[in-house]
């Protein structure tokens, strides 16, 4: 009887191929878990980077809180002092107007300054065609009964303004604007000058600057030139 390996040589060949294939595939299978771990480490680094970015962002979040009038770095004490000379001086400067607007938001009366600003813009209209849509918007926003930002006007001023709204002219809102102006000047403006945020600006203090940020300043070699170490603290 002949040797079965001679009759079926393909069996021996396939077996050898299977063994060699297994030897090739075996280390590949072992390497797969190692490769899969790399994205996990990368994701951890990405999450750490995001956490650091978020912590830096939230560190200065309080800059936008209503109690802060404006960034002290952009307003000098001399400029802040001038705001106290007159209410008109305060509103004539953009930084002063912004600071006063933020202050009114803390008192929930920002509709007054918003109405005054809208009237100033209205009086800058160059053509009669621009007056009607602007007048209608101002009236519906600030003057008509139950308006979303209704300002406090006496009956006579409100009645005259309502009658003139049908054929608006440049002076349509003058009486109402003057009334609101006097209200802010006599009531809100004195409180603004007595507020802590304004007094801090006058004194040159910056309550908006986080003390933690000073520690994160990047130093250079020049910062340490001429500085001798003091070992007594050790």
């Amino acid at each position: 009887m002949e040797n079965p390996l001679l009759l079926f040589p393909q069996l021996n060949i396939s077996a050898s191929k299977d063994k060699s294939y297994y030897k090739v595939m075996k280390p590949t299978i072992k390497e797969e878990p190692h490769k899969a771990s790399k994205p996990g480490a990368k994701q951890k680094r990405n999450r750490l980077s995001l956490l650091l970015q978020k912590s830096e962002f939230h560190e200065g979040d309080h800059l936008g809180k209503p109690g802060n009038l404006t960034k002290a770095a952009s307003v000098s004490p001399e400029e802040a002092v001038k705001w106290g000379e007159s209410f008109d001086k305060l509103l004539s400067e953009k930084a002063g107007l912004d600071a006063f607007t933020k202050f009114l938001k803390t008192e929930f009366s920002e509709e007054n300054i918003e109405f005054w600003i809208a009237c100033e813009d209205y009086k800058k209209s160059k053509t009669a065609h621009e007056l009607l849509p602007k007048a209608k918007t101002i009236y519906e926003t600030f003057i008509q009964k139950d308006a979303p930002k209704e300002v406090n006007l006496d009956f006579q001023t409100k009645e005259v303004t309502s009658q003139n709204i049908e054929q608006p002219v440049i002076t349509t809102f003058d009486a109402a604007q003057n009334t609101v102006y006097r209200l802010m000047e006599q009531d809100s403006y004195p409180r603004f000058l007595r507020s802590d945020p304004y007094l801090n600006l006058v004194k040159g203090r910056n309550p908006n600057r986080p003390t933690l940020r000073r520690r994160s300043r990047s130093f250079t070699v020049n910062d340490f030139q001429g500085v001798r170490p003091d070992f007594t603290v050790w």
Side-chain angles (χ1 to χ4, degrees), residues 59 209-217:
E59 188 178 349
R209 183 180 300 166
T211 55
L212 189 61
R213 284 190 177 276
R214 292 185 177 181
R215 299 179 183 179
S216 62
R217 176 178 175 270

Side-chain angles (χ1 to χ4, degrees), residues 170-204:
I170 289 293
T171 59
T172 294
F173 297 104
D174 281 2
Q177 185 183 15
N178 290 335
T179 299
V180 172
Y181 180 93
R182 288 194 303 271
L183 176 64
M184 293 189 295
E185 183 181 29
Q186 297 172 7
D187 185 47
S188 303
Y189 177 56
R191 288 199 302 275
F192 168 79
L193 297 180
R194 295 192 302 267
S195 66
D196 288 338
Y198 172 72
L199 294 176
N200 285 332
L201 294 182
V202 172
K203 295 175 182 178

Side-chain angles (χ1 to χ4, degrees), residues 5-232:
L5 296 177
L6 297 177
L7 294 175
F8 305 100
Q10 67 275 14
L11 294 176
N12 189 34
I13 294 173
S14 62
S16 62
K17 287 182 179 180
D18 290 341
K19 290 180 180 180
S20 62
Y21 175 76
Y22 177 77
K23 289 180 180 180
V24 174
M25 292 299 294
K26 189 173 182 180
T28 305
I29 296 173
K30 287 184 177 180
E31 291 177 358
E32 287 180 359
H34 178 68
K35 291 181 180 180
S37 63
K38 290 183 178 180
K42 186 176 181 181
Q43 291 175 358
K44 289 181 179 180
R45 289 195 299 270
N46 291 339
R47 286 197 294 267
L48 178 60
S49 176
L50 288 174
L51 288 174
L52 291 175
Q53 292 176 5
K54 288 181 179 180
S55 63
E56 291 178 358
F57 175 78
H58 289 300
E59 188 178 349
D61 274 356
H62 66 287
L63 297 179
K65 289 185 178 181
N68 299 319
L69 298 182
T70 185
K71 293 182 179 179
S74 62
V75 178
S76 66
E78 293 77 14
E79 183 180 2
V81 168
K82 291 181 180 180
W83 298 349
E85 295 176 359
S86 68
F87 187 49
D88 185 65
K89 181 67 176 179
L90 173 68
L91 300 186
S92 65
E93 298 185 9
K94 184 180 184 304
L97 178 60
D98 291 343
F100 186 64
T101 301
K102 291 179 181 179
F103 171 76
L104 291 184
K105 287 182 179 180
T106 66
E107 296 194 335
F108 305 99
S109 59
E110 65 270 21
E111 70 277 358
N112 291 325
I113 193 63
E114 289 178 3
F115 172 68
W116 183 87
I117 293 174
C119 291
E120 288 294 292
D121 176 73
Y122 174 81
K123 290 187 291 187
K124 294 177 183 178
S125 302
K126 297 180 180 180
T127 64
H129 181 70
E130 297 178 18
L131 295 178
L132 183 59
K134 285 186 177 182
K136 183 178 180 182
T137 299
I138 293 174
Y139 179 77
E140 293 177 350
T141 304
F142 299 101
I143 297 179
Q144 73 177 8
K145 185 179 180 181
D146 297 328
K149 296 183 178 182
E150 186 177 2
V151 293
N152 187 14
L153 298 174
D154 58 273
F155 176 80
Q156 183 178 358
T157 302
K158 192 170 187 177
E159 190 68 18
V160 171
T161 305
S162 300
Q163 293 174 1
N164 294 337
I165 200 68
E166 298 298 330
Q167 295 180 342
V169 293
I170 289 293
T171 59
T172 294
F173 297 104
D174 281 2
Q177 185 183 15
N178 290 335
T179 299
V180 172
Y181 180 93
R182 288 194 303 271
L183 176 64
M184 293 189 295
E185 183 181 29
Q186 297 172 7
D187 185 47
S188 303
Y189 177 56
R191 288 199 302 275
F192 168 79
L193 297 180
R194 295 192 302 267
S195 66
D196 288 338
Y198 172 72
L199 294 176
N200 285 332
L201 294 182
V202 172
K203 295 175 182 178
R205 297 174 183 173
N206 187 355
N208 298 335
R209 183 180 300 166
T211 55
L212 189 61
R213 284 190 177 276
R214 292 185 177 181
R215 299 179 183 179
S216 62
R217 176 178 175 270
S218 298
F219 292 95
T220 63
V221 177
N222 294 331
D223 292 324
F224 295 95
Q225 288 183 354
V227 178
R228 296 181 180 180
D230 185 3
F231 295 102
T232 59

